[in-house]
């Protein structure tokens, strides 16, 4: 049933992207090096972009918008801007005060939508509570919506059509492809049902690999807050692939893992380390325990996070290319 | 966890919509009388429509389009037109020859989209092979798309937003509500991954009941052609609710059913009855066997089919009301 070729971008597939199990712990899971894979993708994208610009095209441009002063949002956006610089994407961050009205934010988005120099628009979430997040996501032009959160991009993804796919689930898909995790007909469990990560993830996992999204053809179970803990454990134990995106440290424990399963941890939680008293980032998976049973596991940090940023870069370059083609064909008409 | 009130349309919930198990076969599943439930919904809609028209509004109008001469399509559309007459919806069927080009069909859709007298547009599927079905579905105006197949309506459904929901999965949801099948936190399995039935069904089953789609909060597993038969059987045996929409007679057998489960059969297959030599309609479920184990089961015909037609009527009336409100507010601006 080997019918899906790895995406053409994977020109480096013979390099080893999982840390080999240490001989002393030969049962331990291979750690999927998201940071390393993302770095390779970024290098590849930098090359692609250089060629695009060398052919006489304008440098792709991404505008990020932050409303209010959330330190986590500032950090996420700073990471994205750094990645832009590295890849060669021109970028800027527009900062609006927390008191910005929805109408003011919509007016800025409208202006960016109409600005031909801007190829990608990203409104960092969350927005302040007086602003409707969904209205904002839908306001970003479908072709500049590099986050893939617009209702039309979600509809296209659901229908296996070409469109912009949310960066995190797209990044998880790439991780699975890079590490040659078989998905066709395998059992996958998505824990969580958020619209930005879990739902598009479940769609990418179960849909048909022969259409535009090149989805993964797995049997998919979606678990969430109303799934009883016993049932969650049972579904997970049957899974060859688990993607967890909930925001609950330690939710996924060793006893919930089928030996050899691939565990992808999208959670990012800031908790106090009891030993050192310092804050640290952890995922939703009890990493130290689960790695003793799983076949593959992503670390937090250094797993899915860097892939999200890399996929955002990819989405921006693809958006620029599509807009460029549209302009060309309009000129030739 | 009883937190979701049954939809207000269910004013007849104290009537019995399942055939009581016959005393001789007390273990047998209650048969969900889709035909009877659909008839009640249609009566309710007729009343709602009468009030709408009595208030001075124009009679809602549905235009169906058939391209080519498919006897099954003719029959489906005839059923819909009959339902329209019964409910009081004005309707017409536009018949185009099989040789119609995609451009000609798109031109007719565009004309219907712009026609203020038309509230709902339905292109009966399948269309001939030289026409792209997806292009056609996306061409119907989002507010007149009473089938709910437009990319924007699918996106809105996926995002738990208000929109038009495809009639068959919406009908299944109503059947579950009418028969008081508990769904919150229960295991549901959707067999199939079609975009018109299975995907919206999986979304309606797993999504959050507190948003616009009033979804069902179940834990959902999506099985499909690449799910190995053994795994399909295992997933089904764990399910409290099974919805099967594949088109394979006898796919779901007795040994795959958890005692007491609710089995919803969306399949419609025309097969030759070996005893009589005549053709008959059957679903994807081995009805006679499965009813010995299941708690509830829908028959074919007379289960989901009539609900699809009733939900189409509901979608048309809702579309007319929404368009009417939009016109009113435009006039008052």
């Amino acid at each position: 049933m080997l019918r899906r070729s790895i995406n053409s971008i994977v020109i480096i597939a013979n390099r080893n992207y999982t840390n080999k199990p240490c001989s002393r712990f030969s049962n331990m899971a291979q750690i999927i090096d998201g940071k390393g894979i993302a770095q390779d993708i970024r290098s590849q994208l930098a090359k692609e972009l250089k060629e695009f610009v060398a052919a006489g095209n304008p440098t792709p441009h991404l505008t990020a918008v932050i409303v209010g002063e959330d330190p986590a949002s500032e950090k996420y956006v700073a990471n994205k801007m750094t990645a832009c610089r590295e890849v060669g994407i021109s970028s800027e961050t527009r900062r609006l005060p927390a008191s910005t009205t929805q109408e003011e934010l919509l007016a800025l988005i409208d202006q960016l939508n109409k600005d031909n120099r801007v190829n990608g628009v990203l409104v960092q979430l969350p927005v302040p509570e007086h602003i409707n997040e969904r209205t904002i996501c839908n306001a970003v032009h479908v072709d500049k919506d590099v986050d893939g959160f617009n209702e039309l991009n979600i509809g296209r993804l659901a229908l296996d059509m070409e469109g912009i796919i949310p960066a995190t689930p797209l990044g998880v898909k790439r991780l699975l492809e890079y590490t040659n995790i078989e998905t066709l007909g395998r059992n996958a469990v998505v824990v969580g049902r958020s619209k930005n990560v879990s739902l598009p993830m479940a769609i990418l996992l179960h849909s048909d690999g022969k259409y535009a999204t090149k989805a993964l053809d797995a049997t998919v179970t979606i678990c969430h807050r109303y799934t009883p803990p016993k049932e969650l454990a049972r579904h997970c134990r049957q899974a060859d692939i688990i993607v967890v995106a909930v925001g609950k440290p330690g939710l996924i424990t060793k006893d919930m893992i089928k030996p050899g399963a691939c565990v992808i941890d999208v959670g990012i939680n800031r908790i106090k380390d009891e030993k050192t008293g310092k804050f640290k980032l952890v995922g939703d998976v009890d990493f130290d325990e689960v790695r003793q049973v799983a076949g593959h596991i992503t670390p937090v940090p250094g797993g899915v996070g860097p892939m999200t940023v890399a996929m955002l870069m990819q989405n921006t370059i693809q958006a620029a290319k599509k807009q460029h083609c549209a302009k060309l064909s309009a000129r030739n008409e």
Side-chain angles (χ1 to χ4, degrees), chain A residues 80-254:
Chain A
K80 292 167 186 176
M81 297 296 111
T82 304
C84 280
R85 276 192 294 280
E86 195 189 308
V87 170
I89 294 171
S90 143
S91 67
E92 66 175 328
T93 305
R94 297 278 193 104
R95 283 183 180 74
L96 299 178
S99 60
T100 304
T101 65
Q102 179 164 304
E103 286 62 39
E104 288 166 341
L105 180 54
L106 288 172
L108 173 60
I109 292 170
D110 185 52
Q111 181 199 318
L112 296 170
N113 283 343
K114 288 174 180 157
D115 187 340
N116 279 337
R117 294 162 305 181
V118 175
N119 304 109
V121 177
L122 173 169
V123 181
Q124 184 64 39
L125 301 181
V127 285
E129 276 190 11
H130 65 276
I131 296 177
N132 185 306
E133 183 177 302
R134 178 44 46 205
T135 304
I136 297 307
C137 291
N138 290 346
V140 176
H141 190 287
V142 63
D143 292 333
K144 296 190 177 185
D145 169 40
V146 287
D147 264 336
F149 294 164
N150 179 296
E151 54 187 350
L152 202 45
N153 275 318
I154 293 289
R156 288 176 183 173
L157 171 60
L159 293 165
D160 301 345
M161 293 166 64
E162 212 173 298
I164 304 180
I165 299 175
T168 301
L170 186 60
V172 172
K173 178 172 178 272
R174 284 289 163 81
L175 282 183
L176 295 172
E177 289 166 345
Y178 264 80
T179 34
N180 292 318
I181 304 293
E182 179 58 273
T183 56
L184 190 141
R186 301 297 167 96
N187 288 320
V189 167
V190 176
V191 189
R193 56 176 176 174
S194 70
K195 300 302 180 187
N196 297 348
V197 176
S198 301
L199 179 74
M201 188 76 252
I203 291 171
L204 280 177
L205 279 164
H206 92 272
S207 287
D208 198 318
K210 70 172 184 251
Y211 296 122
T213 59
K214 306 275 175 238
L216 298 172
D217 286 309
T219 301
V220 173
T221 302
I222 307 164
C223 296
H224 50 75
R225 69 176 73 233
Y226 295 125
T227 305
K230 256 184 148 175
E231 288 299 305
L232 173 64
R234 194 175 55 71
H235 284 295
C236 285
R237 271 196 301 273
Q238 294 168 353
D240 304 297
I241 299 135
I242 298 176
V243 182
V244 54
V246 172
K248 275 194 184 174
L251 178 68
I252 304 298
T253 50
K254 189 178 169 180

Side-chain angles (χ1 to χ4, degrees), chain A residues 271-298:
Chain A
I271 62 164
K272 202 168 183 176
D273 190 323
E274 285 176 17
K275 287 179 203 156
T276 64
K278 286 184 183 168
F279 283 95
K280 64 171 184 176
L281 291 182
V282 297
D284 295 341
V285 175
D286 184 340
F287 183 82
D288 291 332
E289 292 283 316
V290 168
R291 70 185 291 204
Q292 296 169 26
V293 188
H296 291 84
I297 190 168
T298 58

